[in-house]
C-alpha cells in the first residue's frame, strides 16, 4: 500500500506500475468542469431525443424504451473497397468492413443508467443481447461500448451507447483470445472463471456481488476506479445469459453505477464495454477459453474535477496508477447504494 511495485495483467499479458505514495502529492494541474446538472428531459435540438431530427434528416420515432438506429457517421461500412496490395511488409493494409449502430437507453435525456429502474436496465441488456445475436450471425466481433460524459468523448448527454460490428477481430479481442486460450491450455480452467472464484474468496478487491455476478477492482487495474464485471458461471457470450442472470445483471449494474456516482457526487464519467467470445465464423469453433466480462474505465482520480491522464510514462513505457486497487475497492465498497440525488426523497 505504501511502496511502488509492478503487477501482472494476465488478460493483456502486460504490467502496471503501482505507485500508491504518489496520490499524496499536491495537484496543480488541469481541473475538469463537472458535468451539467440541468440537462433538459427533452430537447428538439438533441438528435437522440424522441421526435427529433438527426443530421441526415431522419426523424426519430416517439420511442418509449430503447431505440436503435444506424450511426449517421459510421466508422465502419459494409461495402468498403479492398485496400491496394502492399509492396513492402512494413506498409501493410487489410480490409475493414462492418456496421455501426447507436442505441438510446431511454427517451429521457436527463436519466442515466444509475437513475434508471432495474426493469429499464434489463430492457437495455435484452437489446444488447439481441444486437449481439443479430450482428454476430455474420460478423466476427460485435463491440458494445458506452462513453459516458464529455470527459470520455461523449458529445451528447442523452443516455446511449454504440455497437460496432467488424469483419475482423480488433486488437484487444485478439489479445484476450490469445491469453485466455493459453490459460485454459495450461490450467484446464477459463482464466476469468478462475479469477472470479479467487476474488470472491479473497474479497479485498470486491465492490459488489450477488448470486450470479461480482464486480471487482482488478488486481492489475490501470485506471483509478477501474472495475471488472464477471459472471460466476462459465458463459461465453452476452446472448447466452438466462432470464434470471439478466435480471441480476441489471441489479448489479445499477448498484455499481450508483456507487460510481456517489463517489464524488457527480454523474460519473467512464468508458465501458463488453467482451465475449467472437461470433460469425467463430460460432462453430471451440471458444471454451472465453469468459464473458465487462470493463469499466473511469478517469476520475481525486475528485469530480481531477482526472488521471495516460501520458508520458504511460504512453512511452507502461501503465501506472497512483493508489492500490485494494484502496480503490474499499472506497467504492463502502459507498451507499442509494443514489445521492434520491437521498432526500
Amino acid at each position: 500500500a505504501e511502496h511502488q511495485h509492478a503487477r501482472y495483467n494476465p488478460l493483456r499479458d502486460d504490467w502496471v506500475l503501482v505507485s500508491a505514495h504518489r496520490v499524496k502529492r499536491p495537484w496543480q494541474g488541469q481541473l475538469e468542469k463537472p458535468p451539467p446538472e440541468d440537462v433538459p428531459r427533452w430537447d428538439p435540438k438533441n438528435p437522440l431525443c424522441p421526435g427529433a431530427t438527426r443530421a441526415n434528416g431522419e426523424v426519430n420515432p416517439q420511442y418509449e424504451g430503447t431505440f436503435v438506429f444506424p450511426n449517421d457517421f459510421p466508422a465502419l461500412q459494409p461495402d468498403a473497397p479492398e485496400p491496394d496490395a502492399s509492396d513492402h511488409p512494413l506498409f501493410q493494409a487489410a480490409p475493414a468492413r462492418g456496421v455501426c449502430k447507436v442505441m438510446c437507453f431511454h427517451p429521457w435525456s436527463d436519466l442515466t443508467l444509475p437513475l434508471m429502474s432495474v426493469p429499464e436496465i434489463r430492457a437495455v441488456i435484452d437489446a444488447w443481447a439481441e444486437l449481439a445475436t443479430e450482428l454476430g450471425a455474420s460478423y466476427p466481433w460485435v463491440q458494445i461500448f458506452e462513453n459516458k460524459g464529455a470527459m470520455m468523448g461523449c458529445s451528447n448527454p442523452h443516455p446511449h451507447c454504440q455497437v460496432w460490428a467488424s469483419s475482423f477481430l480488433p486488437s484487444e479481442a485478439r489479445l484476450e483470445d490469445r491469453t485466455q486460450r493459453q490459460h485454459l491450455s495450461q490450467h484446464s480452467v477459463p482464466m476469468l472463471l478462475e479469477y472470479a472464484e479467487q476474488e470472491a474468496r479473497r474479497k479485498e478487491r470486491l465492490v459488489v456481488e450477488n448470486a450470479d455476478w461480482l464486480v471487482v477492482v482488478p488486481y492489475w487495474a490501470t485506471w483509478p476506479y477501474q472495475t471488472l464485471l464477471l459472471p460466476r458461471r462459465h458463459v461465453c457470450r452476452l446472448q447466452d445469459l438466462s432470464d434470471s442472470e439478466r435480471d441480476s445483471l441489471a441489479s448489479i449494474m445499477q448498484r455499481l453505477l450508483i456507487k460510481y456516482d456517489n463517489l464524488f457526487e457527480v454523474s460519473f464519467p467512464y468508458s465501458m464495454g463488453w467482451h465475449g467470445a467472437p461470433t460469425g465464423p467463430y460460432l462453430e469453433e471451440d471458444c471454451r477459453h472465453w469468459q464473458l466480462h465487462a470493463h469499466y474505465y473511469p478517469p476520475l482520480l481525486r475528485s469530480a474535477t481531477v482526472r488521471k491522464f495516460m501520458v508520458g510514462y504511460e504512453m512511452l513505457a507502461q501503465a501506472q496508477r497512483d493508489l492500490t486497487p485494494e484502496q480503490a475497492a474499499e472506497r467504492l465498497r463502502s459507498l451507499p447504494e442509494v443514489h445521492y440525488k434520491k437521498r432526500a426523497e
Side-chain angles (χ1 to χ4, degrees), residues 50-292:
T53 302
R54 303 204 307 275
N56 63 356
E58 292 191 21
V59 178
N60 296 334
Q62 294 291 340
Y63 65 92
E64 297 181 353
T66 60
F67 169 51
V68 178
F69 62 92
N71 194 313
D72 297 329
F73 303 96
L76 292 164
Q77 296 175 323
D79 53 357
E82 294 270 343
D84 293 336
S86 174
D87 63 354
H88 193 281
L90 293 179
F91 301 92
Q92 296 187 48
R97 301 185 180 94
V99 296
C100 299
K101 294 182 179 290
V102 176
M103 188 177 98
C104 296
F105 296 153
H106 196 279
W108 295 354
S109 293
D110 59 343
L111 206 65
T112 56
L113 279 172
L115 292 169
M116 289 167 56
S117 68
V118 169
E120 287 170 334
I121 298 173
R122 165 66 196 266
V124 170
I125 294 166
D126 287 341
W128 282 342
E130 185 177 337
L131 277 172
T133 302
E134 173 193 334
L135 298 174
S138 53
Y139 286 102
W141 189 256
V142 180
Q143 184 59 65
I144 298 166
F145 65 98
E146 179 193 5
N147 295 325
K148 180 171 178 271
M151 197 181 299
M152 298 308 289
C154 181
S155 59
N156 193 299
H158 196 93
H160 71 285
C161 72
Q162 298 189 56
V163 183
W164 294 10
S166 61
S167 61
F168 55 91
L169 287 188
S171 299
E172 291 294 314
R174 285 189 287 109
L175 181 56
E176 289 193 3
D177 185 73
R178 176 177 64 81
T179 57
Q180 290 181 98
R181 186 185 300 276
Q182 184 177 1
H183 188 92
L184 181 65
S185 174
Q186 293 177 349
H187 302 282
S188 302
V189 60
M191 177 198 295
L192 292 181
L193 181 61
E194 182 178 12
Y195 179 68
E197 291 170 350
Q198 285 288 323
E199 290 287 30
R201 180 174 61 82
R202 296 169 186 255
K203 297 194 180 301
E204 58 189 327
R205 285 169 295 273
L206 192 65
V207 177
V208 286
E209 64 179 329
N210 61 26
D212 300 313
W213 301 88
L214 68 156
V215 176
V216 300
V217 177
Y219 178 79
W220 53 80
T222 300
W223 294 92
Y225 292 97
Q226 176 180 334
T227 54
L228 185 62
L229 172 56
L230 296 161
R232 291 184 184 271
R233 78 170 177 97
H234 186 208
V235 53
C236 289
R237 300 178 178 92
L238 192 64
Q239 52 267 44
D240 298 335
L241 297 174
S242 67
D243 278 346
S244 63
E245 287 170 331
R246 295 185 187 194
D247 285 339
S248 58
L249 173 57
S251 173
I252 205 165
M253 282 178 55
Q254 184 193 59
R255 294 168 62 197
L256 169 65
L257 298 180
I258 286 174
K259 284 180 179 288
Y260 269 162
D261 278 12
N262 284 345
L263 179 60
F264 299 128
E265 295 198 346
V266 69
S267 184
F268 205 70
Y270 58 74
S271 284
M272 71 79 65
W274 284 98
H275 283 173
T279 48
Y282 295 90
L283 292 170
E284 303 301 320
E285 295 190 8
D286 184 358
C287 290
R288 286 176 299 164
H289 55 290
W290 271 91
Q291 174 74 330
L292 176 69

